[in-house]
């Protein structure tokens, strides 16, 4: 029998920037749960070896998944909730000793939490990117009934296919344009790419077409105030930073891994800790 603590972790490539261990371990300590949460670098092409090793570890509770593995992990998990068809990306995998690996997605719910809290009632949105995070965000926006959604992607055909897959591509409800094209006027702009993240290229986009009162939501959290958010703040627009979605999705995953609800009444303390920890 193992003397080690049960643990969950986050995997990705890169992974050094991840704040997920700080979040989960903060909650574990607050609730006096004897477990831990780690981060593990898994390179592209290394998922098979990773899951083979972890499935033999009785202390492993599962993992969160970040860039660039959210789509690739679908090949390694069971999908009883139909995440493949509804979202097309997995960011949370639960493990039970001797049982299947269960894939789900907490990004969509985590993304929506601050919009619901702020009672956002916009009618149009632009999403930058067409990867795993964008898939979850588009699913979330369509679940809200947002009638006008534009995807800006390096490959507009991929963006259109993504819109079609979440049911937002019919008629005038969904359209895809190329990154670098003029930004449409919209009530919400979401950066679902890694652009602007520490070590990544900057996101160069002109926010002038956005109307006064628009919301700019950047899911990048390292740095916390990205160039995009600085530009939005200078325009006097509403902003939501990457910690909003990060904490929201982490709370949903925490319940899955540790069978306990995250103490969200401590969010202010948690945010202060994360900001003090820097990028």
């Amino acid at each position: 029998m193992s003397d080690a603590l049960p643990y969950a972790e986050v995997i990705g490539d890169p992974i050094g920037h991840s704040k997920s261990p700080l979040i989960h371990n903060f909650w574990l300590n607050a609730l006096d749960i004897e477990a831990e949460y780690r981060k593990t670098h898994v390179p592209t092409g290394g998922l098979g070896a990773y899951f083979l090793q972890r499935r033999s570890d009785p202390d492993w509770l599962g993992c969160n998944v970040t860039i660039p593995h959210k789509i690739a992990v679908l090949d390694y998990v069971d999908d009883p909730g139909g995440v493949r068809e509804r979202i097309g990306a997995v960011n949370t995998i639960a493990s039970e000793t001797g049982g299947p690996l269960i894939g789900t997605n907490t990004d969509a719910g985590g993304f929506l939490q601050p919009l619901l809290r702020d009672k956002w009632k916009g009618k149009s949105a632009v999403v930058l990117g067409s990867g795993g995070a964008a898939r979850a965000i588009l699913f979330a926006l369509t679940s809200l009934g947002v009638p006008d959604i534009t995807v800006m992607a390096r490959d507009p055909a991929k963006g259109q296919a993504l819109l079609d897959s979440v049911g937002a591509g019919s008629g005038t409800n969904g359209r895809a344009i190329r990154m670098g094209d003029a930004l449409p006027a919209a009530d919400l702009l979401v950066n679902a790419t890694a652009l602007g993240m520490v070590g990544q290229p900057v996101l160069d986009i002109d926010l002038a077409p956005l109307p006064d009162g628009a919301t700019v939501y950047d899911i990048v959290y390292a740095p916390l105030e990205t160039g995009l958010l600085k530009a939005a703040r200078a325009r006097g627009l509403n902003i939501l930073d990457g910690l909003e979605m990060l904490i929201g999705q982490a709370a949903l995953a925490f319940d899955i891994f540790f069978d306990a609800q995250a103490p969200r009444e401590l969010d202010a303390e948690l945010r202060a800790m994360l900001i003090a920890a820097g990028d």
Side-chain angles (χ1 to χ4, degrees):
M1 183 175 180
S2 173
D3 293 327
L5 290 175
Y7 71 96
E9 60 192 337
V10 58
I11 64 170
D13 181 20
I15 199 60
H17 67 282
S18 177
K19 294 183 184 292
S20 292
L22 292 174
I23 296 170
H24 285 267
N25 288 319
F26 174 87
W27 289 332
L28 289 170
N29 290 333
L31 297 175
D32 291 322
I33 296 174
E34 293 190 356
E36 61 181 340
Y37 188 99
R38 311 169 181 174
K39 57 184 172 184
T40 298
H41 177 239
V42 177
T44 300
L47 287 172
Y50 167 79
F51 286 120
L52 182 63
Q53 181 184 55
R54 287 298 189 266
R55 291 193 68 161
S56 65
D57 185 345
D59 298 312
W60 184 63
L61 301 174
C63 64
N64 285 122
V65 182
T66 189
I67 295 171
H69 301 315
K70 292 184 181 185
I71 299 172
V73 294
L74 282 163
D75 292 337
Y76 299 91
V77 300
D78 281 15
D79 179 22
V83 173
R84 180 186 293 272
E85 289 75 21
R86 293 186 299 117
I87 300 179
V90 159
N91 83 314
T92 303
I93 298 171
S95 170
E96 293 186 9
T97 303
L101 301 180
I102 303 299
T104 189
N105 193 302
T106 63
D107 277 339
F111 169 80
L112 279 180
Q113 285 182 7
L115 294 176
L116 295 174
R117 178 198 64 208
D118 296 345
K119 297 181 173 58
W120 182 81
K121 297 186 183 299
K123 300 298 184 184
S124 57
V126 176
V127 178
L128 308 181
S130 58
R135 288 170 180 265
I137 288 165
L138 288 168
F139 174 80
L141 291 173
T142 56
S143 74
L144 277 185
V146 178
D148 184 353
I149 301 174
T150 301
V151 170
M152 297 184 72
R154 287 179 296 179
D155 180 354
K158 182 178 179 182
Q160 189 63 52
L162 184 55
L163 282 163
D164 293 341
S165 73
V166 297
S170 58
T172 60
N173 288 342
R175 69 189 64 80
I177 60 177
R178 191 177 303 278
M179 289 287 282
D181 287 350
L183 179 67
D187 301 316
L188 175 68
L189 171 66
V190 184
N191 177 30
T193 75
L195 295 175
M197 183 186 294
V198 172
Q200 299 294 321
V202 299
L203 174 56
D204 184 15
I205 190 166
D206 181 7
L207 301 183
L210 296 182
D212 294 341
T215 296
V216 176
Y217 192 160
D218 196 337
I219 71 168
V220 170
Y221 57 84
L224 183 57
E225 184 164 79
T226 62
L228 176 64
L229 294 185
K230 288 179 182 177
R233 191 187 301 278
R235 274 259 348 249
L237 303 177
N238 303 313
I239 65 171
L240 293 171
D241 63 43
L243 289 187
E244 297 277 9
M245 179 172 170
L246 181 68
I247 293 172
Q249 65 82 24
L252 298 173
F254 185 86
D255 194 1
I256 292 170
F257 296 139
F258 304 110
D259 197 25
Q261 290 191 352
R264 298 299 302 274
E265 67 275 10
L266 301 179
D267 271 11
E269 182 181 346
L270 174 58
R271 279 187 64 94
M273 182 197 72
L274 293 171
I275 292 169
D279 300 329

